[in-house]
Structures are given as C-alpha cells and as structure tokens.
Amino acid sequence: RRSRQGLSAHSLMRICHLLSMEIPSPGLERAISPAQLIACKHAIASTPEHEHTVLLFGPQRLEDYAADLGIHTTDRIACPSNDPTLAQTALSRYLQHRPLFDTLTCWSERTLTLWQQAAWMNLDAIGVMLGEATDARGLDGTPIVTLNRLDTESWRARGADIHLATCPRDSIPPSDAERQRWRKSIGATEGEIVLGAFSDFSPNCNALWVSAIQTVLEYAGTPNIALVPADVSGWTRAKRIHRNMSLQSPLVRVDGPMLKTLSMCDLAITDAGERKSWRGAEAMLIEQLHASGVPVIGGPHLPELVEMPDLARENCLGISTVPTIMAGRISAVGPSRMLCRRLRTSLVERPTLDTPGLADTLSSIWAHAPARRRPMVASS
C-alpha cells in the first residue's frame, strides 16, 4: 500500500474499483470493453494521492487482459456465470479482511447492482457507466458518471445523480518513423492502406462486415490490409469468402489488446455510428484513437459520440455503415497521404472541451463519500 506520509487525512481516500464483464447484447457472451479498463487506469494514474484497490469479478483471462492494458489487479473473485451479482458471499469474506474502504467505484452495471443487493455493505458507491442503463433500478441519487450526454438520459430516468465527464485523451501519437517500422513488420507495402476494425466489445466487431468492405475496396483497385481482434465473430465465414473470391487483401487477427495496434493503423473503421447501447465505451476508444492521430471512419452518428474537427466530419462520416458506403469513404481518404497527415494533425490538436475530465469528476465525488455513507444493516 502507498505510504500515508505527506498526505493529509482529509485528502487520502481508500478507493475500491470493481470491474466485471457485461453482456454486450442478447445472444453474446460476457465480455469487458477495453474502454472500461482504459478509463479505470486513467482514473487511478491521475489521482495518486488516494489509495486504490482493483477488484475483478470473473475468470483469469479477465485479469490477464487487464494486465495487458496496464492495470495492476489487487484481487480477483471468481463467480458463477462470471456474474458479480452472484458473488455476495465472496465479497463479504473479502471485505472482512480489508481496512474499510471510503467508497466503491463500480465500472460496470452488474457491480453496481451487486452493491445495491448487498444492503449490509455500509459503503458509498459511484458508478462509471459507459453505456445506457439496462437492469439498474431505484438508484435514489447514487452518483453516476457518464462519458456521453445521450447516456445520461437513461441513467437519470433510473434516479441517478448524473455527472457528465470528458473522455480521457491519454494516447501519445506514434512518430512517422515508428509507424513506418510497424508497417514494415506486418509486411505492408507503400501503397496498401492498413485498416483496424474495432467495436466497444470486440465480439461485436463482425469479420464478415470487414471482409465485405475489403471486397469492395479490392475491386475498386484500393489495396488494403484489415486487422481485427483475435476473438472477432464471423471469422470462419469471412475467411471462406476471401478464399472463394480469391481476394488478395489480407484479413488478419491480432492477439492482445486491439487498441495498441489501432494506434499504428492508417485508418480505423467502426460500425459504432449505427448503434446506441454503448456510446460511452465507443466514445472512449474513438477519443484514444484521435489522440493517437488515427482517423476513425464510421456512420453519421459518430459526432454524437465525440467532438470532431470539421476536416474529420467532411472526410470520415458516411451516410451509413453499409460496406459499399464505408469503402467509398476509405477510398477517398486512405490513398491520400497528405489528407491523412492533415487529419492526424487536426485530431491530435483538437481543442480541449470545457466539460470536466473523468479524473476531476471522480475526485470531486469521492471527496463527499463519507457524507453519503449508507447506514449499516444486518446481513441476511
């Protein structure tokens, strides 16, 4: 634990961060958005004056993934079906052997629901929610931080005390030399566009959609390489399409966190502009990519997720995410090195918004945690 030396009793807070996997949409397995981990890492790194504990609910692979993104896990609780709401007993045992935390910071809706169900837990809780509300009920003034103004409506309807924060922009743009070395390492030639496909939860990023875009690009004479997450859905069918149509454009799965790879790509593509359930997570990833100087091409709703410079609005938005429309946008931007460089500069140098940042917003809420502590009740 961090020493208390040099920190006043007033400034020092013990923060316990709860992380778990969510079900992105019906029919999909539980997964965690990299945006949740990136946001949590940012909050911890930006507030070193506090003591931070990171508690994960889920399997070992969740802990490994968090470590890949730079999050040191204090403890992990395995739970049935990887659902933290089924881990009340394990959480009770965990807390019995810990100094009392000042507040819990829940980074998923299910961990917030766990806190609601555990009435014996005399702790304040804060939710950082990167999507709209689904299961939460009766929040009764519980502080909820969102990263997108449209998400605030569903949480306010559940009785939350809403705080809108600006997405962190922590990424550092790679140098031209670094990009060139990376391109060489993957075998990209001078004329090939390297595309990185992403989504809020990687299982939602369908390889069939990406391969359809590649097909249009190849027949239009635009050479490309497309990179997708290792656990992308539709992979087998997409590769069959590649083989049957004799496509020369490589479709490659990437191991490890996709964000590190995306920051090196010429362009990032997403179907986020057509979905609404995980706006905050999409906004986080897009802001990280923009801070890295990577243009994100998507549908018409992207400006609802992040502020975009005029140059990006003109060149990166399609009227839909239909593959033919997306391919047209890519063909208009990708081959022009000058336009890509201008886009990169405009994205990196975009003025900072006036909305408070995530870390400042959390620090303000944490400071009032003792006054909000809910009363102790007997455990059932």
Side-chain angles (χ1 to χ4, degrees):
R1 285 187 175 274
R2 189 181 291 109
S3 170
R4 290 174 180 262
Q5 187 174 4
L7 295 175
S8 69
H10 175 73
S11 64
L12 177 67
M13 300 282 285
R14 291 192 180 100
I15 314 296
C16 184
H17 301 270
L18 305 184
L19 287 158
S20 71
M21 300 189 294
E22 301 281 78
I23 298 177
S25 60
L28 292 179
E29 295 182 357
R30 287 190 182 276
I32 191 164
S33 167
Q36 293 169 268
L37 298 172
I38 295 166
C40 181
K41 178 183 175 182
H42 167 83
I44 293 172
S46 301
T47 55
E49 68 273 19
H50 300 310
E51 292 186 359
H52 295 278
T53 295
V54 178
L55 178 60
L56 300 184
F57 292 88
Q60 180 64 49
R61 61 185 172 85
L62 174 58
E63 186 170 7
D64 295 339
Y65 188 63
D68 284 342
L69 284 172
I71 288 189
H72 170 69
T73 303
T74 310
D75 284 288
R76 179 177 64 86
I77 293 178
C79 42
S81 304
N82 296 322
D83 185 349
T85 63
L86 304 178
Q88 287 192 52
T89 302
L91 179 61
S92 177
R93 287 197 301 265
Y94 175 82
L95 293 175
Q96 287 173 5
H97 301 286
R98 287 276 169 178
L100 184 65
F101 295 112
D102 292 297
T103 185
L104 304 179
T105 300
C106 304
W107 294 86
S108 63
E109 188 169 351
R110 298 303 281 169
T111 52
L112 185 65
T113 302
L114 169 63
W115 170 77
Q116 287 181 295
Q117 292 177 345
W120 47 265
M121 195 188 307
N122 65 326
L123 284 174
D124 167 63
I126 303 163
V128 183
M129 299 294 116
L130 304 187
E132 60 187 15
T134 57
D135 296 329
R137 296 288 185 273
L139 292 173
D140 192 26
T142 301
I144 297 292
V145 180
T146 65
L147 299 180
N148 182 268
R149 61 182 179 81
L150 296 176
D151 285 340
T152 64
E153 298 170 8
S154 64
W155 286 100
R156 185 177 288 114
R158 305 299 172 93
D161 174 20
I162 289 294
H163 301 260
L164 178 63
T166 300
C167 294
R169 287 173 59 89
D170 295 337
S171 298
I172 300 175
S175 67
D176 289 341
E178 288 172 326
R179 290 181 191 273
Q180 287 301 319
R181 284 195 296 270
W182 179 80
R183 286 178 61 88
K184 185 177 180 180
S185 72
I186 65 171
T189 62
E190 182 64 26
E192 284 181 313
I193 302 170
V194 181
L195 307 171
F198 75 97
S199 184
D200 48 8
F201 288 90
S202 56
N204 280 350
C205 181
N206 194 300
L208 289 172
W209 178 72
V210 178
S211 66
I213 293 173
Q214 285 192 286
T215 302
V216 179
L217 288 173
E218 184 164 314
Y219 277 83
T222 306
N224 65 93
I225 299 175
L227 309 177
V228 296
D231 55 355
V232 67
S233 62
W235 173 258
T236 302
R237 292 178 62 191
K239 292 301 290 184
R240 186 180 303 123
I241 289 173
H242 261 63
R243 183 176 61 253
N244 292 343
M245 300 190 70
S246 301
L247 296 184
Q248 300 303 307
S249 305
L251 178 63
V252 182
R253 285 189 294 189
V254 176
D255 291 323
M258 190 67 183
L259 190 64
K260 297 178 181 179
T261 297
L262 289 167
S263 66
M264 291 290 188
C265 293
D266 296 317
L267 300 171
I269 56 175
T270 179
D271 60 346
E274 300 298 315
R275 288 204 313 277
K276 299 183 181 298
S277 59
W278 286 92
R279 299 184 190 96
E282 294 282 7
M284 262 289 306
L285 297 180
I286 293 170
E287 283 285 25
Q288 293 291 310
L289 291 173
H290 282 180
S292 295
V294 179
V296 176
I297 292 183
H301 298 294
L302 282 188
E304 294 179 358
L305 303 177
V306 296
E307 289 291 326
M308 300 179 72
D310 290 341
L311 188 63
R313 284 174 177 261
E314 295 168 8
N315 291 279
C316 297
L317 302 182
I319 59 174
S320 78
T321 57
V322 171
T324 51
I325 301 296
M326 292 287 288
R329 290 284 82 198
I330 294 166
S331 293
V333 175
S336 174
R337 295 297 173 189
M338 181 177 294
L339 177 56
C340 283
R341 187 171 289 108
R342 287 179 60 213
L343 275 169
R344 186 175 301 140
T345 300
S346 71
L347 294 169
V348 172
E349 296 180 355
R350 194 204 76 193
T352 304
L353 300 179
D354 294 334
T355 308
L358 175 61
D360 289 340
T361 301
L362 285 174
S363 292
S364 176
I365 299 173
W366 288 337
H368 298 91
R372 289 193 309 267
R373 188 183 301 280
R374 72 182 181 186
M376 172 75 80
V377 299
S379 174
S380 56

